Amino acid sequence: MQRINFIRLIRHFLLASLLVFTSAGAWATSSCKANYSAFTLSLPATLAVARDVPNGSLLTAWVQTSQLTNYFTCTVTQQTYTGVDFESAGIVTSSPTAYTVSYNGNSVSVYPTNVPGIGIAMGGYINPGGWGWFGFLDFPRLGYKNNYNGTINNGGQLIVALVKIGDITPGTVGGLIAQAFSWEGTAGAPAGDNPAAGVINFSITPVAITVMTCTTPDVSVPMGTFKTTDFPGVGALSPNPAGFAIQLLNCPGGTAVSGTQAGQIHSIQYRIDPTSGTLATNVAALSGSPSATGVGIELFNSSGAVFPLSTNTTLSGYNSASGGSYSIPMTARYYRTGAITAGPANATMTLTVSYL
C-alpha cells in the first residue's frame, strides 16, 4: 500500500512538471514579413567643396524617405516584441566618427563613406507597433513595442546628409548605406533581427565630389645687387624695391547650397611664412650657405605698408559666385638688422592659401 502511494505521488509530480513546461513553451509567437524591398534617397549629382571647409560641416541639405508605418507586418500570438532595426551597410560599414550634426535639435552621428573626407549623417524616425507617432532615432537604433494578439505594423523613416570629416579626395559617393530588419522576440527572452522576414535596403544616388581651389604659381623675385654702404644703419632698407605679384588663377565660382558649406568658395585667405624664420618682426631671415649677415627681407603691400608674415590675410575683391583670377601686388626690400658682411642674400618663403 505504501508503495502504490509512492508511485502515484511520482506520477502526479511528473504530470505537473510537464504541464508547466508545455505552458512556457507556447508563451508567444510572431510571424513578420517585409512590405518593401528598397528605397533610394536622391542627393545632388555633383558637389563642390572648398578645400579648407571645417570638418563637421554639412555639405548637403537633409533628404529623407517617406514616413511609413508598414515596413513590416507581423502576426503575433499572446505577448511578444516586434519592431524595426536599422543597420549600416554597403559603403557605410564602420563605426561612427567623432563628428555629430544637428537635425531639428537632435544630435545625429556621422559615418565614413567610400570617399575619403566625406561622411554621411544618418538618423530618422521609428514607428513601432503601429503607434500613431514617430520617435526620433540616432543611427543605428531599433524601435520596438511589446505586442499582443493580432496584426502589427512596424515602420519608420531614414534621414541623411553628407558631412565633411577630413581632407577630401575627389571621387563619387553612392550606393547602399543602410538596411532595415524586422526585430522580433518573445517577452523575457533574447531577441534580434530576423532576415527571413525580408530586408529593406536604403541607397543614395551617386554624388561626384570635387574640391575647389585656385592655381598658385611659384614666384621668383630678383632682389638686385647692393653695397654695404647702401645700408647706413640698423633699420635701413635697400634703395630699390623689387616688385612682384602673388597670382591666384582660375578660382572657381559657384552657387552656395543653403544651410551648408558646399557649392562655392566663400572666402580666400593667404599667408607667407619664411622658411628660415625671422630676424625681427616681419623680417625674414636669409637661407643658404654661404650667406650675407646683418640683413633680412621685408615685404610690403601695394599701399607701401609692411606685410605681416605668418598671418592670414583675406583676399579682397574675391567674387565667390563668379570666381576668376586675382593678382596681389607686393614689393620686397632688404632690411638691415646688424653688422653686415657681404655674400649671397637669398631667402625662401612658403605661400599658404586657405579656401573657406
Side-chain angles (χ1 to χ4, degrees):
M1 192 69 171
Q2 292 179 345
R3 183 177 181 183
I4 293 174
N5 288 339
F6 180 70
I7 293 174
R8 289 179 62 192
L9 287 173
I10 293 175
R11 290 180 61 195
H12 287 175
F13 175 76
L14 292 176
L15 178 60
S17 299
L18 179 62
L19 290 174
V20 171
F21 177 78
T22 302
S23 175
W27 179 256
T29 63
S30 63
S31 175
C32 300
K33 180 180 179 181
N35 296 310
Y36 306 90
S37 60
F39 295 95
T40 300
L41 297 98
S42 296
L43 290 170
T46 60
L47 183 63
V49 184
R51 185 187 66 191
D52 300 302
V53 164
N55 293 341
S57 297
L58 277 175
L59 300 180
T60 65
W62 292 94
V63 297
Q64 59 276 321
T65 61
S66 299
Q67 283 191 347
L68 297 174
T69 60
N70 63 338
Y71 280 172
F72 298 94
T73 298
C74 302
T75 301
V76 303
T77 60
Q78 299 190 51
Q79 184 183 30
T80 186
Y81 290 107
T82 65
V84 176
D85 181 27
F86 283 101
E87 296 289 344
S88 60
I91 65 170
V92 185
T93 57
S94 61
S95 300
T97 68
Y99 299 101
T100 61
V101 290
S102 178
Y103 176 81
N104 288 345
N106 299 291
S107 180
V108 182
S109 297
V110 179
Y111 288 75
T113 70
N114 60 311
V115 174
I118 298 294
I120 186 167
M122 296 195 294
Y125 290 87
I126 47 178
N127 173 235
W131 289 348
W133 57 273
F134 283 74
F136 186 82
L137 62 91
D138 184 19
F139 192 91
R141 186 182 300 168
L142 62 82
Y144 65 90
K145 185 181 181 182
N146 187 6
N147 307 128
Y148 293 88
N149 294 336
T151 299
I152 302 297
N153 284 321
N154 297 308
Q157 179 185 43
L158 187 64
I159 299 172
V160 304
L162 295 185
V163 179
K164 184 175 184 288
I165 59 173
D167 293 338
I168 296 174
T169 298
T172 299
V173 58
L176 180 67
I177 58 171
Q179 293 178 314
F181 296 87
S182 177
W183 187 88
E184 304 166 26
T186 57
D193 296 337
N194 179 17
V199 180
I200 304 175
N201 294 320
F202 295 83
S203 301
I204 58 172
T205 55
V207 184
I209 309 294
T210 59
V211 180
M212 308 176 79
T213 63
C214 309
T215 301
T216 53
D218 291 341
V219 180
S220 180
V221 184
M223 295 292 293
T225 302
F226 300 94
K227 299 177 293 186
T228 57
T229 55
D230 290 328
F231 304 90
V234 172
L237 297 168
S238 53
N240 298 317
F244 67 99
I246 295 172
Q247 302 286 337
L248 297 171
L249 307 177
N250 303 315
C251 300
T255 302
V257 179
S258 178
T260 78
Q261 288 295 309
Q264 65 179 203
I265 299 173
H266 301 280
S267 68
I268 297 176
Q269 296 181 340
Y270 59 97
R271 59 183 285 158
I272 297 176
D273 294 283
T275 303
S276 299
T278 59
L279 298 174
T281 302
N282 296 320
V283 178
L286 302 181
S287 57
S289 180
S291 178
T293 62
V295 294
I297 295 178
E298 196 165 47
L299 303 181
F300 301 84
N301 63 23
S302 59
S303 299
V306 174
F307 181 82
L309 298 176
S310 302
T311 302
N312 286 328
T313 301
T314 299
L315 175 65
S316 61
Y318 172 67
N319 189 316
S320 58
S322 61
S325 296
Y326 300 85
S327 180
I328 306 170
M330 303 183 73
T331 59
R333 302 175 76 175
Y334 288 116
Y335 178 101
R336 180 173 174 177
T337 60
I340 297 177
T341 60
N346 301 315
T348 59
M349 304 186 195
T350 301
L351 172 68
T352 300
V353 182
S354 299
Y355 307 90
L356 304 171

